[in-house]
Amino acid sequence: MPIARTRSVALVGVEGHPVEVEAHLGTGPAAVTLVGLPDTALREARDRIRAAVANSGESWPDCGITVSLSPASLPKRGSGFDLAIAAAVLGADGAVPAEGVHDSVFLAELGLDGRTRPVGGVLPAVLAAARAGLRTFVVARENAAEARLVPDVEVIAVGSLPELFARLRGRPVEEIDDEEDIAEEPEPPRRRPDLADVAGQPMARRALEIAAAGGHHLLLVGPPGTGKSLLAERLPTILPELCTEDAVEVTAVHSVAGTLPRGEPLITRPPYSAPHHSATRAAMVGGGSSVIRPGCVSHAHRGVLFLDEAPEFQRGVLDALRQPLETGEVLVSRAAGAVRFPARFQLMMAANPCPCARPGAACICPAAVRRRYLGTLSGPLLDRVDLKLELQPVTRAELLADRAFTEDSATVAARVAEARERAARRFKGTPWRANAEVPGAELRRTFPVGDAARGVLAGAMERGEVSARGVDRTLRVAWTLADLDGSPIPEGDHAALAYALWSGGHP
């Protein structure tokens, strides 16, 4: 019986699973049967592929066709199997050499006129297939740059079915420079935010630098107009660029989510996600009924998640952040299975001191209302925030005086990079990259501090101002301050400033 095999990839979250696509031409009335847990979009591929083949000048087999997607127990979703099914069917019919499609991975949607269309998730799909030992990939031209991010693979970019069939038959095709494959034009360059734009809040700028250097989470409380959102937008500008491994991870998440920047196949800068306070739990951590999508915390993977007006978020949404803050990933469970998304982000929250948001004596909120408002931020969530700072309105005189001391993002980023390098040398051979990631027990056992620093924190514990867990949080910040100052260990002044920032006060 005529049969041909080719390959594609099914995505579950951001994890790819190689799929063998088999096409069998049998007897009986002309029909196409898809087996192997296809979803609705994949079932619709039967008519789409038949039209694409007919409009490409090829003959569709006039017989019963069975297409099997193996492993059969793995759910398959989306239109990315179109090209693989078309190649397998025509390979089984003998229209193209069956051996030419057997070891290739096909990832593209087909239009009714036979043109190939890009699909999401190409990067994690190619990564998964490459780990399984597959080396040849056929993708739409718009996905070629993304697929070539994976080393040691051959990527064949095709714009239509006729071009693919010509290649398979060994016929000459119009050559298009691989480096000039059709792709979207990059977005026009926009001015990036700069830390020099923030004046009048020197302590807040310092806290932002400390957060960037140590990977600490940050909470800013203050009335409107004190620069909370301005500071948050500038935190990614002082973070180090992503290493290759992290850049591929981040790009894979955005590829699956369909949010890759136009004309930018590899994301090299830390991403920034700022959901609205009306966001649901599913929007924040990921979810969906038929297709599970990554949420805002995964969009911020290896970058910054900013929650403006944090007390306005539903408490359940805020508490859902506790798992990813602790583990660096999200597990979304549904009846069809569970999906993991990476979510190691840096949390930055901003809040008004009360619902009316009026500064100082102008506030009309009773004390109970103020407590209830900020009480939306639960203790377990705040316990994971190392830096807390209260901002005050800035006078015109303070703005003018502070202008001489503002630094641009590049200057601050250089200091942050140096501090991260010191931390990386200290953590060599461990799974940690930044001070905020070190467990408390390891912090005390492996990285002891000086007597002066211990004395500051011991005094706070004796007065009942800080718990043992709070001491661990403060020590992490103290190590970051020491890294920024080039000190081998935290001293007393580092511990004092770290405690003031952890407790929400000023030194």
Side-chain angles (χ1 to χ4, degrees):
M1 290 292 184
I3 189 169
R5 298 179 180 87
T6 187
R7 299 175 188 271
S8 192
V9 179
L11 288 175
V12 179
V14 293
E15 297 179 4
H17 301 269
V19 171
E20 187 175 63
V21 180
E22 296 177 291
H24 166 71
L25 307 188
T27 58
V32 179
T33 303
L34 280 173
V35 296
L37 289 184
D39 71 342
T40 302
L42 188 47
R43 289 185 185 280
E44 292 174 349
R46 296 175 296 187
D47 298 324
R48 190 166 56 242
I49 295 169
R50 183 189 291 115
V53 169
N55 289 322
S56 299
E58 303 288 338
S59 297
W60 184 259
D62 188 20
C63 62
I65 303 172
T66 302
V67 176
S68 173
L69 308 174
S70 178
S73 59
L74 181 71
K76 289 87 178 177
R77 300 183 175 93
S79 57
F81 294 88
D82 287 7
L83 197 59
I85 294 173
V89 169
L90 292 191
D93 191 40
V96 296
E99 62 276 7
V101 300
H102 180 64
D103 292 323
S104 298
V105 180
F106 295 83
L107 299 165
E109 179 184 331
L110 287 175
L112 297 182
D113 58 356
R115 288 181 298 175
T116 57
R117 291 175 175 168
V119 293
V122 164
L123 177 57
V126 175
L127 279 169
R131 293 192 192 106
L134 300 170
R135 287 291 174 264
T136 304
F137 298 84
V138 182
V139 300
R141 291 199 181 282
E142 292 86 347
N143 286 138
E146 183 182 345
R148 290 193 178 103
L149 295 175
V150 181
D152 303 323
V153 298
E154 179 188 5
V155 176
I156 300 173
V158 295
S160 64
L161 273 180
E163 181 182 346
L164 171 63
F165 296 152
R167 288 180 181 273
L168 292 174
R169 291 163 179 158
R171 296 175 183 172
V173 296
E174 182 181 351
E175 294 296 333
I176 299 178
D177 190 346
D178 285 344
E179 299 301 323
E180 297 180 359
D181 288 332
I182 299 172
E184 292 184 346
E185 291 294 325
E187 294 181 355
R190 294 179 294 178
R191 181 185 179 275
R192 290 180 60 194
D194 197 287
L195 198 56
D197 301 334
V198 183
Q201 295 288 4
M203 193 59 209
R205 294 199 304 271
R206 176 65 170 163
L208 207 69
E209 180 179 344
I210 296 167
H216 305 287
H217 307 307
L218 174 64
L219 168 64
L220 299 178
V221 179
T226 50
K228 302 186 295 294
S229 301
L230 207 65
L231 287 159
E233 292 171 355
R234 281 145 184 82
L235 178 55
T237 68
I238 62 175
L239 291 173
E241 284 205 354
L242 301 175
C243 66
T244 302
E245 180 183 353
D246 289 348
V248 170
E249 259 189 9
V250 171
T251 303
V253 172
H254 287 262
S255 176
V256 168
T259 56
L260 270 182
R262 196 174 68 195
E264 187 178 348
L266 184 66
I267 297 175
T268 58
R269 293 292 311 167
Y272 175 77
S273 178
H276 190 261
H277 62 77
S278 62
T280 63
R281 187 190 301 234
M284 185 66 71
V285 299
S289 53
S290 58
V291 180
I292 301 177
R293 298 288 186 186
C296 297
V297 295
S298 296
H299 290 173
H301 180 56
R302 299 297 180 189
V304 177
L305 176 68
F306 176 51
L307 304 184
D308 198 9
E309 308 296 345
E312 300 288 345
F313 284 78
Q314 297 177 24
R315 182 154 187 166
V317 173
L318 294 175
D319 286 341
L321 298 175
R322 286 154 53 184
Q323 180 206 359
L325 284 173
E326 200 69 32
T327 63
E329 65 178 14
V330 171
L331 177 63
V332 182
S333 298
R334 293 292 184 269
V339 174
R340 292 184 185 274
F341 293 113
R344 190 166 294 282
F345 56 90
Q346 197 165 344
L347 176 64
M348 184 169 178
M349 296 187 291
N352 292 320
C354 63
C356 78
R358 297 179 183 178
C363 176
I364 60 173
C365 298
V369 172
R370 293 166 64 94
R371 285 196 301 270
R372 187 163 57 248
Y373 182 71
L374 291 177
T376 307
L377 306 177
S378 67
L381 177 61
L382 290 177
D383 192 47
R384 290 164 170 79
V385 178
D386 294 344
L387 305 174
K388 309 174 189 74
L389 195 66
E390 186 172 350
L391 306 186
Q392 300 297 331
V394 181
T395 65
R396 182 173 179 274
E398 289 173 331
L399 277 175
L400 295 175
D402 191 45
R403 280 294 179 191
F405 301 99
T406 57
E407 297 176 303
D408 60 19
S409 291
T411 302
V412 178
R415 289 200 299 267
V416 168
E418 290 176 3
R420 292 246 182 173
E421 281 294 324
R422 295 186 184 100
R425 288 194 293 269
R426 186 166 64 250
F427 299 142
K428 188 175 181 180
T430 73
W432 313 304
R433 303 187 187 185
N435 292 313
E437 300 175 7
V438 185
E442 288 293 334
L443 192 69
R444 294 188 300 272
R445 181 170 53 247
T446 311
F447 308 105
V449 300
D451 292 339
R454 278 198 303 268
V456 170
L457 298 178
M461 284 192 73
E462 289 174 1
R463 294 189 297 271
E465 297 171 351
V466 62
S467 65
R469 182 178 294 178
V471 168
D472 291 342
R473 297 281 175 185
T474 303
L475 283 174
R476 294 185 182 102
V477 179
W479 271 107
T480 300
L481 290 167
D483 289 335
L484 284 167
D485 289 346
S487 176
I489 60 171
E491 303 294 344
D493 55 344
H494 297 137
L497 178 55
Y499 175 68
L501 289 170
W502 176 82
S503 60
H506 262 265

